Amino acid sequence: MTVLKTVTYSPAYTIVPTYECFNRCEYCNFRREPGEDDWLSLAQGHEILQSLRQMPGQGVTEILILSGEVHPRHPRRKPWLQRIFDLCQLALSMGFLPHTNVGPLSETEMARLKTVNVSMGLMLEQVTPKLLDTVHRQAPSKRPEQRILQLELAGKLKIPFTTGLLLGIGETPGDWRDSLSEIARIQYRWGHLQEVILQPHRLGQRQESEIGNFDLDRLPEVVALAREMLPSSVTLQIPPNLLESPHILLDCLAAGARDLGGIGPHDEVNPDYPHWQRQRLQEILEPAGWQLRPRLPVYPQFEAWLSGELRSHLAEISQKISHC
């Protein structure tokens, strides 16, 4: 009997407290100008989560809290963080597991959100400072040292964490190596990184820069490089909806990728590229010898880092999944 190799994904749904962002990354298709967006209310969040519970076969376990960034000294910073905290609490109370990715946070803010999240994340993107003169020239929080500090703080606080590279925004292959080397250094020190995402830039309707698509034929090369440079404890993740072609997906798996990230009805960061749903993915993977398996947003080896209350939520949801 043929034994299928395993590739995982997280059945997820994304909630966005606000699209407003004080950064203006020139490739972004997510942000809105401050003052343009009505912030998501807690009542709206409850309605969204309730609808997910009532949809048969939805199978969502992860609620990704994804937000535009509010300036650290903006008067709305405290209510913004409180809204994120409240949405995470609400998700837990309704039988979901929160994962928050809302930009750089202070150590105090991270410690607070740790109490209501089973994992968190922040894209490193690239460590080269030259992007501050190009696509990040109007993005103060994309300074590499600030992103690196966030990864270090997450390790210090024992937060299971996801980070990643954004490819094709003006960096070089040498920059890939430098960024992966920094991630490896952090992982060897703290051991808290669950996943590293290798995300190719794809053109979107709202981006301001004329920067083009990342050459997808090079993505398996980046995956192989990451697998060579990063500790084996780190899972490599690729977003299948951005790959366009099944053969690129299979080549990336052959090179060492083992996770497809959160799969939901809509990609908030890349709205022009709908997620490939489970059935479509199975049609691609199974003939090539891969078994698609759902996972939770925290990996088993990190469960001991969670509070007793979060472990109770996790156990309850795990039990429900096992009976499905």
Side-chain angles (χ1 to χ4, degrees):
M1 186 175 75
T2 303
V3 178
L4 298 179
K5 295 164 288 186
T6 298
V7 58
T8 56
Y9 78 104
S10 177
Y13 189 89
T14 303
I15 291 181
V16 181
T18 181
Y19 294 88
E20 291 185 6
C21 188
F22 80 101
N23 287 327
R24 187 191 287 273
C25 303
E26 295 182 4
Y27 48 78
C28 184
N29 288 282
F30 174 84
R31 77 177 293 275
R32 293 177 189 158
E33 286 288 342
E36 286 185 357
D37 185 36
D38 290 330
W39 288 24
L40 178 73
S41 70
L42 204 58
Q44 288 171 304
H46 185 278
E47 187 176 324
I48 291 168
L49 295 175
Q50 189 64 35
S51 69
L52 286 176
R53 291 180 65 183
Q54 293 172 350
M55 290 178 67
Q58 193 77 5
V60 170
T61 52
E62 174 183 344
I63 297 299
L64 168 58
I65 309 292
L66 182 69
S67 179
E69 298 182 24
V70 175
H71 194 283
R73 293 186 295 277
H74 196 283
R76 297 182 83 176
R77 178 80 177 190
K78 285 187 177 180
W80 169 77
L81 190 77
Q82 184 64 47
R83 178 61 46 80
I84 291 165
F85 183 91
D86 291 343
L87 286 168
C88 292
Q89 276 195 319
L90 177 63
L92 287 168
S93 72
M94 298 183 72
F96 301 102
L97 297 171
H99 170 99
T100 291
N101 187 329
V102 294
L105 300 164
S106 70
E107 183 171 354
T108 299
E109 290 170 335
M110 289 188 78
R112 185 169 187 231
L113 289 181
K114 177 187 177 179
T115 65
V116 289
N117 279 274
V118 298
S119 58
M120 296 175 66
L122 180 79
M123 292 290 281
L124 177 61
E125 297 197 0
Q126 297 290 340
V127 298
T128 174
K130 69 186 178 187
L131 298 179
L132 296 173
D133 297 323
T134 55
V135 294
H136 289 159
R137 72 187 93 205
Q138 298 182 77
S141 80
K142 293 300 176 75
R143 290 182 294 109
E145 62 270 23
Q146 188 169 3
R147 318 295 278 191
I148 291 168
L149 175 61
Q150 186 83 142
L151 268 61
E152 297 271 15
L153 287 176
K156 177 183 176 183
L157 294 169
K158 291 194 170 182
I159 297 173
F161 213 73
T162 296
T163 191
L165 305 190
L166 183 56
L167 305 165
I169 55 173
E171 82 288 349
T172 67
D175 296 329
W176 301 341
R177 284 189 168 274
D178 291 343
S179 298
L180 290 167
S181 178
E182 188 63 24
I183 292 172
R185 179 193 67 79
I186 292 169
Q187 177 67 352
Y188 281 122
R189 181 178 185 187
W190 300 107
H192 65 306
L193 298 178
Q194 299 191 122
E195 306 151 336
V196 167
I197 306 168
L198 300 172
Q199 179 176 323
H201 170 257
R202 310 304 287 158
L203 284 168
Q205 295 181 23
R206 298 183 61 192
Q207 75 176 53
E208 298 180 1
S209 172
E210 295 181 358
I211 186 171
N213 285 325
F214 178 75
D215 181 1
L216 291 176
D217 287 332
R218 299 205 69 179
L219 189 57
E221 172 192 345
V222 184
V223 173
L225 178 65
R227 190 64 290 159
E228 174 191 333
M229 294 186 64
L230 296 179
S232 59
S233 57
V234 177
T235 298
L236 299 182
Q237 181 185 122
I238 50 172
N241 62 310
L242 301 183
L243 307 188
E244 297 184 5
S245 169
H247 87 267
I248 298 292
L249 170 58
L250 295 175
D251 287 350
C252 287
L253 294 178
R258 288 296 180 271
D259 187 75
L260 306 183
I263 302 294
H266 184 63
D267 187 331
E268 290 284 356
V269 176
N270 295 280
D272 300 298
Y273 299 86
H275 281 299
W276 295 358
Q277 297 304 304
R278 182 184 175 96
Q279 182 176 349
R280 169 66 173 145
L281 289 166
Q282 287 176 321
E283 291 169 354
I284 296 168
L285 296 169
E286 289 182 1
W290 292 94
Q291 177 185 32
L292 186 63
R293 181 173 59 81
R295 62 162 173 82
L296 297 176
V298 59
Y299 284 32
Q301 63 266 37
F302 296 103
E303 291 177 11
W305 287 7
L306 304 180
S307 67
E309 183 178 356
L310 285 176
R311 288 201 302 273
S312 296
H313 285 288
L314 186 66
E316 185 176 344
I317 293 171
S318 298
Q319 189 173 22
K320 287 179 181 177
I321 292 173
S322 66
H323 288 116
C324 290

